Amino acid sequence: MLFSELRTHTARSAMAIVAIAIGVAMAYAVHLINESATGEFERTVRSLMGNADLEIRGTEAGFSESVYPLVARLAEVGTASPSVAVEARLSGRADPLKIVGVDVFRAAAVQPGLIGRPEGGRAGALPLLEDDAIFLSPVALRWLGAKPGDPLHVQVGLETRTLRIRGTLAATGEGLRLGVMDIGAAQSCFERLGMLQQIDLSLRPGTDAEAFRARLSRLLPAGVFVSTPAETVRRSSDLSRAYRVNLTVLALVALFTGAFLVFSSQALAVMRRRGQFALLRVLGLRQGELLRLILAEAALQGALGACLGLGLGYLVAGATLAWAGSDLGAGYFKGVAPQVHFDAAAALLFGLLGLASAVLGSVAPAVEAARASPAQALRAGDEAAAPRGLRSVAPGIVAIAAGAALSFLPPIDDVPIAGYLAIALLLTGGIALVPRLARVLFARLPDSRHVPLHLASTQLSGSPGRAAIGLAGILASFSLMVAMAIMVASFRTSFDQWLTVALPADLYLRAGSAGDTAYFSPADQRNIAATPGLQRVEFQRSLPVSLDPERPPVMLIGRSIDAADPASRLALVGTPRHPRSGEPPPVWVSEAMVDLYGYALGQQVFLPLGGRRVAVTVAGVWRDYARQQGAVVIERQDLARFTGDETANDAALWLLPGSGLAATEQWLRQRLANGDRVVYSSPGEIRARSLKIFDRSFAVTYLLEAVAIVIGLAGIAVSFGGQALARTREFGMLRHIGVSRAQIGAMLALEGALLAMLGVAAGLILGGAVALILVRVVNPQSFHWTMNMSLPWQLISTVAIVLVAASAATATWAGRRAMATGAVRAVREDW
Amino acid sequence: MLVLQGVSKTYPGAASRTVLAGIDLALASGEYVAIMGESGVGKSTLLNLIAGLERPDRGSILFDGQEISALPDDAATLLRRRAMGFVFQAFHVLPHLSVARNVALPLLLNGIGKRRMRERVAAGLAAVGLAGRGESMPRQLSGGELQRVAIARAIVHRPSLLLVDEPTGNLDSDTAGKILRLLRDQLHASGAAGILVTHSLAAARTAERILRLTPTGLEPHADSDREE
């Protein structure tokens, strides 16, 4: 009994199984990718911290090493292990290498994994202390294609320094690209003399860590914090959390649409088998037993789909990690090379989700079939009765109202839970209203004399239940596709506009493509400014600063900016505030600063600069799509005054009319010391590169759009295939009374097209509403940036036309198949 | 009006089966004939052949002098639409259409104007005892009422031939008697010829002539035959 439906209608069952499999595969793959990256990231952070109880941490810019003796002398401290850390730019490499400088004698006690193992028979500490010695993790060695004894060229400023690979590291997590040096050698090599980034502390037994932490915090300079290993791991993981959560939710969307396909498939099967079920009821099958039988069929489909999906998900995760990396190109996990690991617990969870979505998709049809009166169901003609659950509008309206209300709620723990729930309720409510919508709209179609149109419109208005089943899949998939398309288009357009404001110059110079060891010294800056044919040059210095130990650092950007006209350089949101005399210097903060730190226009805030708290005034809020953790722009001269740092990372050059880009670049390459190491980019190149990264990080969204469309098309095929089969006798009767094959074909094409048009129109409205929540609620709450709505009409109208045409074609094809299998004979009960 | 000569039909396949062999039949205008036969003997196939829904392997079927088996599908469809009416055992009333709309279908297909359509539907429903029930939906009707709707639909466009396939198979004996009388009365009133296919001798006796379909052909029904 359980397998008979699967065997009889293999193609339709297979489509439902595949839809569930796709949903499970997407969700499981995204989970595996996220877990492999965050898991490796966590192992990395933990291996760097070793068995430290507390960590004193500044930003990449570091803090004075005078803090070290202050801390090391405290009675509660057993061992204090200082370190410097840089993201070093390597010659000929796009990605940087993390290099940590440690005091080998102290690190041995706190971070034994960071102790190098010299190769070549030179035991003892001496090789570890050599000025040019560096020890690499096995992953870093493989990445570089190097071996112990080889040189390693790192860029400092615009100069190259050569280190020597002396051996490997003990244990640093299997996926971490890391190099370790002696702390003094690292400070000297990377020009960080007198600076530290971190001090790891192991406390004496019996020390109250919390109490000590509170006391220690008060001793530290501004911008230097104490945290536990767990907090450090969480802070690192938080960087990518919004991205990961959104990716997971997007993947679950595929499962959601799969559930609708199961609903369509099961609802049609139940309608078609009403007589069969009624007979079973007459023969003695109880309501509960029938309900369980139908749910078991769905569970079987779900289980098959889930198993298939888990296998597929594992393969997709492996392929994706190999192709795009663990963050799909979004840049959250640089330097980490994770492997995909089968996660049994997650497999069970996502497998059960697949099973549950299949069972949930068939609950309404199963309840309907179980409740149907056997006597009524055995009567001819009862097969067209609409499932009762689809007739009421109240649940739909309540769901939409609840969704609308939820969209106004704030995020929970920085995750837009209410926003996601609002989307789910809106979609469910919208789909629940479809039967009434179909009845009302199709009943208003003019009473045509055109036979196919007359038959099609009466069929659609007379069987809203059937229409709803056909529509549910189209509506779910099209509205999701529209929502995702509008969200991505809005983001891409806003991002493009933002790039236009952010890239006003003719040529951009970056001291290094990656890492924080490359910079322009004041001498380099003078040389660049002396380039012939220049109209104007602006330098920019970016420094990470920690404002809250619980959050990742904020980027402080020192650049030339006209306080009277900041909009010429920044994509301002709202009206800026002109600085008043006597106020602290102005800063312009990104939207994330308002969201995360509560900064407001005109507010006086404090930034930890040069080891002290410096008062500044918030003079404007700007849109920043590059740094979701927050950014603060300050006049470069102010930054140099507060920090003493006069280096720069970037330069923007405006050329005089007639000066060529190529000639300017050529001149700089020749005249600037090590000018070849500078990265030269035109705004067009940066724009193209940025949009490529954007598209890559949204590849999953594009894939999900495609999945939604495919599932929608599959839903159409399932729905019309099932309906055509259920209506074989109707076709036979129509043929008897003189309706031609062509007229039946036209009737079915019109039914398909009219249904799809309603689905597309409703999907457009529903998708637009979902997009509004994505753009106005989910995105700002997840990433702390806003965007302008933009409708990709071309894409939406193309997909709409394809769906309508596919519906018409599929309905006609399904009808032809049904008629080919003996529609004429189906009218006879006695042959 | 209807003449069948040497009509044979075999269904091909691994288990090839000849269901009709050498069937001869002549039916005059306004004549009502019943055809009886055992299950599977080919009664419904015979109706399909007469309606042009299937083609015979041998023989000819002339309807008003026109060879039906030679007509292309579209022409056969138009002929059915114009000149034939059907009543089925399982009623086959479209569940999503009101009673009136079901009855109006043949008129719509024949391009009858709206006003005349309304008049003829009303007359058709009145003729079968369903006056005033036009706006009812099929699910609100009993089996007997549904078959009345089917009869109204079969006669509303005034066909010259009515093909009736086990019209009382799904009805109780009281209702069946009423339906059979209604059918006969409507045939007489319209002047159409009719072929009733049935198992029931009682049903067959409402026709003017009874024939028995056997594997060897159509034979006049013997008085000694008993109701099956």
Side-chain angles (χ1 to χ4, degrees):
Chain A
M1 201 76 200
L2 195 60
F3 293 95
S4 65
E5 177 67 8
L6 285 180
R7 269 200 305 269
T8 316
H9 300 287
T10 317
R12 263 196 308 287
S13 301
M15 276 198 197
I17 290 168
V18 167
I20 292 293
I22 290 174
V24 171
M26 299 285 288
Y28 189 51
V30 166
H31 170 82
L32 286 179
I33 292 165
N34 285 341
E35 278 305 298
S36 64
T38 50
E40 194 54 47
F41 209 64
E42 185 179 328
R43 281 190 288 278
T44 297
V45 172
R46 287 196 185 282
S47 70
L48 289 176
M49 296 187 72
N51 47 25
D53 300 306
L54 290 174
E55 173 197 271
I56 298 172
R57 180 175 44 81
T59 60
E60 279 86 337
F63 54 90
S64 167
E65 65 181 10
S66 61
V67 173
Y68 176 72
L70 193 76
V71 173
R73 278 201 295 264
L74 293 172
E76 293 88 342
V77 174
T79 307
S81 172
S83 58
V84 291
V86 293
E87 293 287 336
R89 194 197 174 204
L90 306 180
S91 300
R93 291 272 167 183
D95 289 336
L97 173 68
K98 187 178 186 72
I99 296 179
V100 180
V102 296
D103 179 332
V104 66
F105 300 106
R106 290 177 175 78
V110 184
Q111 303 134 300
L114 297 187
I115 302 303
R117 291 184 298 201
E119 299 239 346
R122 299 175 64 196
L126 280 179
L128 306 175
L129 301 174
E130 288 173 4
D131 281 349
D132 65 348
I134 186 165
F135 296 82
L136 297 183
S137 67
V139 176
L141 274 176
R142 276 200 301 279
W143 176 61
L144 291 165
K147 58 183 186 305
D150 287 350
L152 180 71
H153 305 293
V154 295
Q155 183 181 330
V156 180
L158 293 182
E159 294 174 7
T160 297
R161 310 240 162 115
T162 301
L163 302 173
R164 188 69 57 184
I165 303 169
R166 293 293 189 197
T168 55
L169 294 173
T172 53
E174 59 193 69
L176 176 65
R177 292 200 301 250
L178 177 72
V180 173
M181 297 175 68
D182 170 62
I183 189 167
Q187 283 175 321
S188 167
C189 175
F190 298 109
E191 301 185 352
R192 302 285 171 103
L193 288 172
M195 301 299 284
L196 297 176
Q197 258 81 41
Q198 197 168 309
I199 304 172
D200 291 274
L201 306 177
S202 69
L203 304 180
R204 289 189 191 283
T207 304
D208 179 346
E210 270 311 305
F212 175 65
R213 177 186 175 173
R215 191 160 74 85
L216 184 58
S217 294
R218 290 192 291 275
L219 300 174
L220 298 173
V224 181
F225 299 102
V226 189
S227 56
T228 63
E231 285 167 349
T232 303
V233 167
R234 199 181 61 234
R235 198 181 57 247
S236 305
S237 170
D238 279 353
L239 259 173
S240 63
R241 193 170 65 147
Y243 183 78
R244 286 183 283 116
V245 169
N246 275 284
L247 215 55
T248 305
V249 171
L250 277 177
L252 289 173
V253 160
L255 206 54
F256 182 76
T257 45
F260 274 100
L261 196 61
V262 172
F263 164 73
S264 291
S265 166
Q266 284 293 97
L268 286 167
V270 163
M271 273 174 125
R272 184 168 34 77
R273 295 158 72 197
R274 278 174 84 83
Q276 182 190 329
F277 292 146
L279 182 65
L280 291 174
R281 293 273 290 115
V282 169
L283 292 177
L285 199 69
R286 285 177 296 181
Q287 275 195 355
E289 289 170 331
L290 182 59
L291 184 74
R292 284 195 289 277
L293 174 76
I294 300 169
L295 291 180
E297 279 182 6
L300 183 65
Q301 288 186 348
L304 290 173
C307 290
L308 193 65
L310 290 174
L312 195 64
Y314 184 76
L315 294 177
V316 168
T320 308
L321 281 176
W323 171 67
S326 53
D327 53 5
L328 309 175
Y332 292 110
F333 301 110
K334 281 181 179 167
V336 175
Q339 302 287 312
V340 62
H341 298 286
F342 184 78
D343 183 342
L348 185 68
L349 175 71
F350 286 104
L352 287 175
L353 267 179
L355 194 75
S357 56
V359 172
L360 278 177
S362 67
V363 163
V367 169
E368 185 62 28
R371 282 188 186 163
S373 148
Q376 178 75 8
L378 277 172
R379 284 166 52 115
D382 191 64
E383 64 270 17
R388 252 181 284 280
L390 296 175
R391 292 181 203 156
S392 171
V393 292
I397 291 173
V398 168
I400 289 177
L406 280 174
S407 67
F408 289 99
L409 293 183
I412 299 168
D413 195 19
D414 277 350
V415 178
I417 305 276
Y420 293 132
L421 279 176
I423 290 172
L425 284 170
L426 215 57
L427 281 172
T428 315
I431 290 163
L433 289 181
V434 161
R436 179 59 64 93
L437 190 68
R439 183 189 281 275
V440 169
L441 286 180
F442 290 132
R444 275 166 177 66
L445 283 174
D447 193 6
S448 173
R449 307 279 306 148
H450 183 252
V451 172
L453 183 56
H454 176 87
L455 290 173
S457 61
T458 51
Q459 161 71 25
L460 291 172
S461 60
S463 304
R466 269 196 181 145
I469 292 163
L471 268 177
I474 301 174
L475 188 55
S477 59
F478 188 68
S479 54
L480 283 167
M481 178 263 156
V482 166
M484 282 189 275
I486 292 177
M487 191 269 284
V488 174
S490 303
F491 199 174
R492 204 175 191 279
T493 309
S494 301
F495 183 58
D496 201 21
Q497 289 164 350
W498 175 78
L499 283 172
T500 306
V501 178
L503 300 169
D506 300 313
L507 182 64
Y508 289 88
L509 275 56
R510 176 158 281 183
S513 58
D516 50 31
T517 60
Y519 54 82
F520 296 119
S521 66
D524 296 327
Q525 292 171 44
R526 280 192 295 277
N527 285 336
I528 292 169
T531 308
L534 278 195
Q535 186 186 58
R536 174 184 174 80
V537 61
E538 288 179 5
F539 293 97
Q540 178 175 304
R541 176 69 169 133
S542 301
L543 285 173
V545 294
S546 278
L547 301 180
D548 179 349
E550 298 288 315
R551 295 188 181 279
V554 165
M555 191 60 79
L556 184 65
I557 302 166
R559 61 184 295 184
S560 302
I561 193 151
D562 181 359
D565 182 24
S568 63
R569 292 289 182 274
L570 297 170
L572 290 179
V573 179
T575 313
R577 181 178 179 277
H578 292 293
R580 293 174 192 156
S581 61
E583 275 185 352
V587 292
W588 294 266
V589 300
S590 69
E591 291 172 301
M593 301 302 296
V594 177
D595 264 15
L596 297 173
Y597 297 91
Y599 283 14
L601 201 63
Q603 189 186 352
Q604 201 174 96
V605 295
F606 292 91
L607 298 177
L609 298 174
R612 57 198 175 88
R613 281 158 50 86
V614 175
V616 290
T617 311
V618 177
V621 179
W622 55 289
R623 188 175 281 175
D624 183 15
Y625 291 133
R627 293 151 286 242
Q628 72 188 63
Q629 298 306 327
V632 178
V633 166
I634 185 168
E635 172 57 51
R636 185 161 173 259
Q637 286 175 349
D638 289 336
L639 180 66
R641 184 157 52 93
F642 294 129
T643 62
D645 182 353
E646 294 196 335
T647 63
N649 311 92
D650 301 277
L653 277 59
W654 282 259
L655 307 187
L656 284 169
S659 302
L661 273 180
T664 306
E665 183 180 329
Q666 185 64 23
W667 191 91
L668 283 163
R669 281 183 189 279
Q670 288 169 356
R671 298 297 179 86
L672 206 57
N674 297 310
D676 280 342
R677 297 202 181 114
V678 174
V679 179
Y680 302 87
S681 308
S682 69
E685 287 166 343
I686 297 172
R687 177 190 297 273
R689 210 162 44 230
S690 305
L691 289 174
K692 194 176 165 188
I693 292 169
F694 178 95
D695 288 337
R696 192 168 161 176
S697 56
F698 274 88
V700 171
T701 318
Y702 298 138
L703 181 65
L704 280 164
E705 278 180 43
V707 166
I709 293 166
V710 168
I711 288 180
L713 289 173
I716 290 168
V718 165
S719 166
F720 287 123
Q723 294 205 29
L725 205 66
R727 291 169 64 190
T728 308
R729 287 182 177 183
E730 177 194 329
F731 302 154
M733 187 277 288
L734 291 174
R735 290 284 290 133
H736 272 84
I737 66 169
V739 180
S740 67
R741 285 177 187 277
Q743 284 177 319
I744 292 180
M747 172 189 83
L748 291 170
L750 281 166
E751 280 181 27
L754 285 169
L755 257 188
M757 277 194 264
L758 177 59
V760 161
L764 202 58
I765 296 167
L766 202 54
V770 172
L772 203 62
I773 296 179
L774 284 173
V775 169
R776 298 267 189 258
V777 179
V778 171
N779 251 288
Q781 290 186 1
S782 297
F783 302 104
H784 313 295
W785 52 50
T786 60
M787 57 184 85
N788 303 324
M789 286 285 273
S790 178
L791 299 181
W793 283 117
Q794 210 175 352
L795 173 68
I796 290 174
S797 49
T798 305
V799 174
I801 290 167
V802 167
L803 275 177
V804 172
S807 291
T810 313
T812 313
W813 170 80
R816 280 203 185 137
R817 269 194 82 209
M819 285 197 289
T821 53
V824 164
R825 275 183 244 159
V827 298
R828 315 268 185 230
E829 298 216 329
D830 169 35
W831 183 83
Chain B
M1 69 161 306
L2 179 71
V3 180
L4 280 74
Q5 284 183 325
V7 172
S8 297
K9 178 71 180 174
T10 300
Y11 288 106
S16 163
R17 197 162 63 103
T18 298
V19 287
L20 296 173
I23 301 291
D24 296 319
L25 171 69
L27 189 71
S29 288
E31 189 184 1
Y32 185 24
V33 63
I35 298 176
M36 296 184 66
E38 292 171 4
S39 291
V41 78
K43 301 188 294 294
S44 295
T45 302
L46 182 61
L47 288 189
N48 282 349
L49 293 172
I50 294 170
L53 288 159
E54 293 187 58
R55 288 168 193 276
D57 300 319
R58 278 192 305 278
S60 96
I61 303 172
L62 291 173
F63 182 76
D64 283 341
Q66 202 172 12
E67 177 58 58
I68 287 184
S69 57
L71 290 177
D73 186 66
D74 275 357
T77 302
L78 288 175
L79 180 68
R80 248 186 347 262
R81 182 186 295 180
R82 182 177 48 79
M84 296 184 194
F86 290 87
V87 178
F88 308 98
Q89 177 180 347
F91 323 139
H92 294 306
V93 172
L94 292 182
H96 56 273
L97 296 185
S98 66
V99 164
R101 281 176 177 251
N102 264 291
V103 174
L105 269 178
L107 301 175
L108 180 79
L109 285 165
N110 283 292
I112 305 296
K114 269 191 179 177
R115 198 170 58 83
R116 281 179 63 204
M117 190 188 287
R118 272 198 298 273
E119 289 166 3
R120 285 169 70 169
V121 167
L125 286 174
V128 298
L130 289 175
R133 302 291 301 274
E135 292 314 307
S136 299
M137 293 307 284
R139 63 176 172 276
Q140 298 167 315
L141 269 54
S142 67
E145 287 171 326
L146 285 171
Q147 196 60 301
R148 285 167 187 267
V149 174
I151 293 170
R153 184 180 64 194
I155 59 169
V156 73
H157 58 302
R158 298 173 185 164
S160 52
L161 176 63
L162 207 62
L163 298 171
V164 186
D165 192 358
E166 288 287 7
T168 56
N170 286 356
L171 302 173
D172 62 76
S173 58
D174 264 9
T175 311
K178 287 175 188 165
I179 289 292
L180 289 165
R181 279 194 294 281
L182 177 66
L183 256 175
R184 189 186 55 202
D185 294 348
Q186 290 303 315
L187 275 169
H188 285 159
S190 66
I195 298 177
L196 168 69
V197 161
T198 182
H199 284 108
S200 160
L201 183 58
R205 281 184 177 142
T206 60
E208 293 156 2
R209 184 157 58 109
I210 303 176
L211 297 172
R212 184 171 185 80
L213 182 61
T214 67
T216 54
L218 272 175
E219 300 163 359
H221 177 64
D223 283 340
S224 58
D225 279 347
R226 300 173 121 197
E227 191 172 340
E228 294 160 57

